[in-house]
C-alpha cells in the first residue's frame, strides 16, 4: 500500500475515533506499514544490545545497516549479524524501513531531519533533544510532509503509559528524582550530592546524555516535569522515582536500573524498551497506551 493511501486511512481512523459508529475497522486494520529492515545510527551500548538480540534471531526484524562516526564501532556490530557498514547516513535511506538513533542529542539535530525528510521512520533514543521546541516542531512537520513516524520509546523509565493516560485529564504535578552512582554522572564523590534541582528543560541542557527520562516524561504529559538529580555513592543502579498527581488520582513509580556493561550512564531497560517498541510495530494486538 502506498504511503498516501495509508495516510488517508489514518485520517479516516482518526475521524472515526471521534464518531465510532461509522467504523472502518477492516480498512484501518493494515494501516501501519510493517517494518522488516532496520538500520542503526550510533553503534554504542544500546545498539550493541539490540544487535545481540538480532544476532540471536530474537528481534523479528533484520538489522542490516550500521553507521557510526567511529567506523570501528560500526564494523564491530555489523560483524555480529553479517551486516553492512555505511559511510554516510544518506546511503542507508533507500535500504531500510526504519532507523534507530542510538547516538547523541547532536545526531538528532544534525542527522535526523535528513532521515525523516526521506520519509523513513525512526526510533529516537536521545529523547532529550526533542525538548527543544523548535527542533521538535521542525521534525514533526517534516514527518507529516513525508509521511514518516518518529517513535520515542519509554526508555529507562516506567510510568510513561500511566502519565500519557493521566494527561487526558488535568495533571497538577509531575516530578522525577534521579539517583545515580557518581561514575554514571561522570563525577567522583564520597557523599550524596544534589547536582540539579529545577525544570526538565534546563536539566536536559546541563546533563544531555543522562536525563532522557526527564524529557520522555515531559513530552508524554505535555508539561515540563520537576527534576532532581542526585549523585549517590551508596547506590549501584540508576534509580528513578516518578510522582504524578492529577485529576485521575496519584501514582508513584520506582525504577532501579542495571547499567549497561559498556556504558554505565545507560540503563539496560532503555535498550529493551527500543526492542519492545520495534516488536510492537509489527503486532496487530497492541497493549498499553
Ligand atoms: N531514552 C532513554 O531512556 C535513554 C537511555 C539511555 C541512553 N539514551 C541515549 O541514547 C543515546 C545512545 O546511548 P548509548 O549508551 O548507546 O551511547 P554510547 O555512547 O554507548 O554510543 C553512542 C554511539 O553513537 C556514536 N555517535 C555519537 N554521535 C554521532 C553522530 N552524530 N553520528 C554518528 N555516530 C554518532 C558514538 O560514536 C557511539 O559509538 C545517547 O544519546 C543516550 O543519552 C536514552
Amino acid at each position: 500500500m502506498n504511503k498516501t493511501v495509508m495516510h488517508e486511512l489514518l485520517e479516516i481512523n482518526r475521524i472515526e475515533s471521534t464518531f465510532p459508529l461509522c467504523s472502518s475497522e477492516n480498512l484501518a486494520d493494515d494501516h501501519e506499514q510493517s517494518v522488516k529492515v532496520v538500520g542503526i545510527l550510533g553503534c554504542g551500548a544500546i545498539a550493541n544490545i539490540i544487535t545481540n538480540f538480532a544476532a540471536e534471531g530474537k528481534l523479528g526484524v533484520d538489522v542490516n545497516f550500521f553507521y557510526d562516526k567511529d567506523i570501528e564501532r560500526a564494523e564491530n556490530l555489523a560483524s555480529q549479524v553479517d551486516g553492512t557498514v555505511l559511510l554516510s547516513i544518506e546511503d542507508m535511506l533507500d535500504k531500510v524501513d526504519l532507523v534507530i538513533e542510538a547516538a547523541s542529542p547532536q545526531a538528532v539535530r544534525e542527522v535526523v531531519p535528513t532521515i525523516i525528510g526521506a520519509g523513513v521512520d525512526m526510533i529516537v533514543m536521545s529523547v532529550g533533544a526533542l525538548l527543544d521546541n523548535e527542533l521538535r516542531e521542525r521534525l514533526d512537520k517534516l514527518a507529516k510532509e513525508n509521511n514518516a513516524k518518529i517513535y520515542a520509546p519509554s526508555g529507562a523509565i516506567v510510568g510513561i503509559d500511566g502519565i500519557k493516560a493521566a494527561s487526558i485529564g488535568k495533571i497538577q504535578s509531575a516530578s522525577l528524582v534521579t539517583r545515580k552512582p557518581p561514575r554514571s554522572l561522570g563525577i567522583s564523590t564520597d557523599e550524596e550530592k544534589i547536582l540539579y534541582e529545577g525544570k526538565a528543560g534546563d536539566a536536559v541542557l546541563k546533563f544531555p546524555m543522562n536525563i532522557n527520562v526527564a524529557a520522555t516524561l515531559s513530552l508524554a504529559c505535555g508539561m515540563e516535569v520537576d527534576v532532581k538529580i542526585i549523585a549517590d555513592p551508596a547506590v549501584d543502579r540508576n534509580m528513578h522515582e516518578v510522582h504524578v498527581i492529577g485529576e485521575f488520582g496519584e501514582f508513584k513509580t520506582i525504577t532501579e536500573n542495571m547499567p549497561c556493561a559498556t556504558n554505565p550512564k545507560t540503563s539496560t531497560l532503555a535498550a529493551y524498551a527500543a526492542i519492545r517498541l520495534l516488536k510492537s510495530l509489527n503486532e496487530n494486538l497492541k497493549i498499553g497506551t
Side-chain angles (χ1 to χ4, degrees), residues 38-92:
V38 169
I40 290 198
L41 158 62
C43 301
I46 290 178
N48 191 33
I49 294 176
I50 296 170
T51 309
N52 282 341
F53 265 73
E56 290 170 16
K58 294 196 292 196
L59 206 55
V61 298
D62 292 329
V63 179
N64 287 349
F65 299 97
F66 297 83
Y67 171 70
D68 196 297
K69 62 183 183 184
D70 178 340
I71 193 164
E72 265 181 46
R73 287 182 166 217
E75 282 169 353
N76 179 31
L77 288 199
S79 68
Q80 292 183 34
V81 287
D82 205 12
T84 305
V85 174
L86 298 170
L87 297 180
S88 81
I89 200 73
E90 285 82 359
D91 292 343
M92 198 184 277

Side-chain angles (χ1 to χ4, degrees), residues 204-237:
V204 165
L205 294 177
K206 288 178 182 138
F207 301 90
M209 300 297 279
N210 260 295
I211 204 72
N212 292 290
V213 291
T216 308
L217 280 168
S218 298
L219 291 168
C221 71
M223 63 188 255
E224 278 194 52
V225 302
D226 298 310
V227 178
K228 196 191 264 191
I229 302 172
I230 303 168
D232 185 348
V235 301
D236 60 358
R237 296 179 177 182

Side-chain angles (χ1 to χ4, degrees), residues 135-158:
L135 176 66
R136 190 179 66 255
E137 279 160 21
R138 187 155 68 94
L139 290 178
D140 192 32
K141 184 165 176 278
L142 269 177
K144 283 192 186 101
E145 285 168 2
N146 295 284
N147 201 17
K149 296 272 193 305
I150 304 169
Y151 302 99
S154 51
I157 191 80
V158 299

